[in-house]
Amino acid sequence: MEEDGEKLINIMSFWVISVSHLAIRSGLATGAHDLLNPAEYNSTTHNGVADGGSNYDEFPLDDLYDLLANPRQASSTVHAAASSGTAKQCNPTSTGTIMFICFALAVAVTVLLQCFTYNIHSTYKVYIMECLFFVGLLTMALSQRMGVMFAGVVFVGIAISCFELTIPPLATAYRIEATNAIAAGAGAAQLLGSSLYLGLKSTEYNRLEIFGAYSALILTGFTVYVVLLEYPSAQGYDTVRSQSQTNTVELTVTDTDEEEGERKELLTGEKEKTMKLWPSKQDVDLLQSEDLMGDFLNALKTLQDLVVYLVIFYVLEYFNNVGLFEHATVDDSQVSRAAQYRWFMFTYHASQFMFRSMPLMLICANQIAAVTVGMGVVCFIFLLQVRYSIFGAIWLLLLVVCVEGLLGALAYLIGLREARIRMENTRGRKMATIIVLVSEAIGIGIASTAAIPAHTYICRHTV
């Protein structure tokens, strides 16, 4: 009973850690349209446009945007077209800009950090991650200029990437239920983060109060990590917990008697239940690698077909979300364009949470190719909506978004499952999990980069 209780505590800890730290990701996605609205940073509207209006006069990322979409030429054209009523009313840039900065640039920085910190103990990485979260959220909450807000997005994006490259790989040293808990927690985080932003924004809370709420969530997850989550044992959680009823394990080591005694002490119930504020050098990290490049190449070779499908899938999914959602709104609806975008994102995150909670893997375990084709169909439907407005009611679009959420949940679960079952040891599973998560980041980067010039084109040519 004690063994089962400890396993349940670890599983629940991973779930809470995942929910609390990933909620901000869906919150940023849901609020991207608002964060890019110049009216958010001034007491008056710009050029009389308060809801999703266009104003390129003081866009703080001209240099970045110029590299991607030649904005100085496009801005005058788009704004003139919007003012004359020949094109859609648009924000200064695509919501893909938020995703590009938050994920593509942040992941690039984080991957470089991982190359130098791969074998550093997970707890040190968590401390760095928490600092980045709080600095980023505080910067976004207090920003009075869009450029400062983007700086906060960069910090938060790096923190999210650190989470993705630290916590899911750490879970591979525990029972498989820990990985399942992280996947379920990520789904719950999408619902919670989107609901939290939608609810607070609807009740007219300001940015300081909104991002303060996300900070409280992250603090909760950090507390759970420090207080409740136990370190994986020296022989791997999968084997040790099934071999011992007393939480004491016999180790064969070549250390001195003193070091052996300290290591055995770490595997007793009394020591493991203390707060892990600072790991000692004897804390066993099963995820360390002496041949980083060898592990990477071996995992990549094993997962090469899966990686190709995942990158294609995430390019389609996130181009749909950040490139098409804001333009696929129903013109005759009584709901504003900004509100429609928020409801699209909320429905997407809610459906992912619902479908990740179902035993879908029993019937779709090896269907990543079919899932990718399905996402292509969804993306094509939204392209038709942007160009021809084929749907006249928002609820029809929300049904299509639910299908996208189902496909997204399947792709996420298939990726993590395949990364775990295809590798033979803990080190390999860690590297495979990182490769799967980086595949998502690559897809997001490509999609968000493409969404920026697509935004300019749509605003210039679509009535």
Side-chain angles (χ1 to χ4, degrees), residues 382-454:
F382 268 89
L383 280 170
L384 293 177
Q385 172 64 17
V386 171
R387 183 64 182 89
Y388 300 108
S389 298
I390 60 176
F391 294 106
I394 187 174
W395 67 269
L396 293 173
L397 284 170
L398 294 179
L399 288 178
V400 180
V401 173
C402 285
V403 174
E404 181 186 2
L406 167 62
L407 297 173
L410 284 173
Y412 187 86
L413 292 171
I414 291 172
L416 288 182
R417 176 182 180 274
E418 292 297 309
R420 181 151 192 146
I421 66 175
R422 292 192 189 186
M423 307 307 295
E424 297 179 353
N425 54 52
T426 303
R427 281 206 330 263
R429 290 198 295 268
K430 175 189 178 182
M431 182 59 73
T433 301
I434 289 177
I435 289 176
V436 166
L437 296 173
V438 170
S439 300
E440 179 182 8
I442 292 173
I444 293 174
I446 296 173
S448 56
T449 302
I452 298 176

Side-chain angles (χ1 to χ4, degrees), residues 43-55:
S43 58
T44 59
T45 59
H46 290 250
N47 299 312
V49 181
D51 179 23
S54 176
N55 185 332

Side-chain angles (χ1 to χ4, degrees), residues 9 18 22 47 131 175 182 251 259 307 311 376 379 405 408 434:
I9 289 175
S18 180
L22 295 181
N47 299 312
C131 291
R175 292 185 184 276
I182 289 179
L251 298 177
E259 289 175 334
V307 168
V311 170
C379 192
I434 289 177

Side-chain angles (χ1 to χ4, degrees), residues 49 62 75 80 111 125 161 171 185 188 193 222 231 246 280 292 322-323 348 394 403 417 419 423 433 440 443 451 456:
V49 181
D62 275 340
S75 63
V111 169
K125 296 180 183 179
S161 300
F222 176 63
Y231 285 124
T246 61
S280 67
L292 180 60
V322 303
Y348 166 75
I394 187 174
V403 174
R417 176 182 180 274
M423 307 307 295
T433 301
E440 179 182 8
T456 299

Side-chain angles (χ1 to χ4, degrees), residues 84 139 211 313:
S84 63
T139 302
F211 291 119
F313 177 89

Side-chain angles (χ1 to χ4, degrees), residues 146-190:
M146 198 179 293
V148 178
M149 183 276 297
F150 275 118
V153 171
V154 170
F155 281 113
V156 172
I158 295 175
I160 293 173
S161 300
C162 287
F163 176 91
E164 294 278 21
L165 299 180
T166 300
I167 301 301
L170 175 64
T172 61
Y174 295 77
R175 292 185 184 276
I176 193 171
E177 290 86 354
T179 299
N180 295 338
I182 289 179
Q190 290 188 318

Side-chain angles (χ1 to χ4, degrees), residues 13-72:
S13 295
F14 274 114
W15 186 86
V16 173
I17 291 168
S18 180
V19 170
S20 58
H21 286 83
L22 295 181
I24 182 59
R25 180 165 63 181
S26 58
L28 284 177
T30 305
H33 194 277
D34 298 322
L35 294 174
L36 292 170
N37 187 352
E40 288 283 315
Y41 304 91
N42 297 276
S43 58
T44 59
T45 59
H46 290 250
N47 299 312
V49 181
D51 179 23
S54 176
N55 185 332
Y56 288 85
D57 296 337
E58 297 183 0
F59 183 56
L61 288 180
D62 275 340
D63 293 337
L64 170 64
Y65 193 48
D66 186 55
L67 293 173
L68 302 173
N70 192 18
R72 294 188 183 279

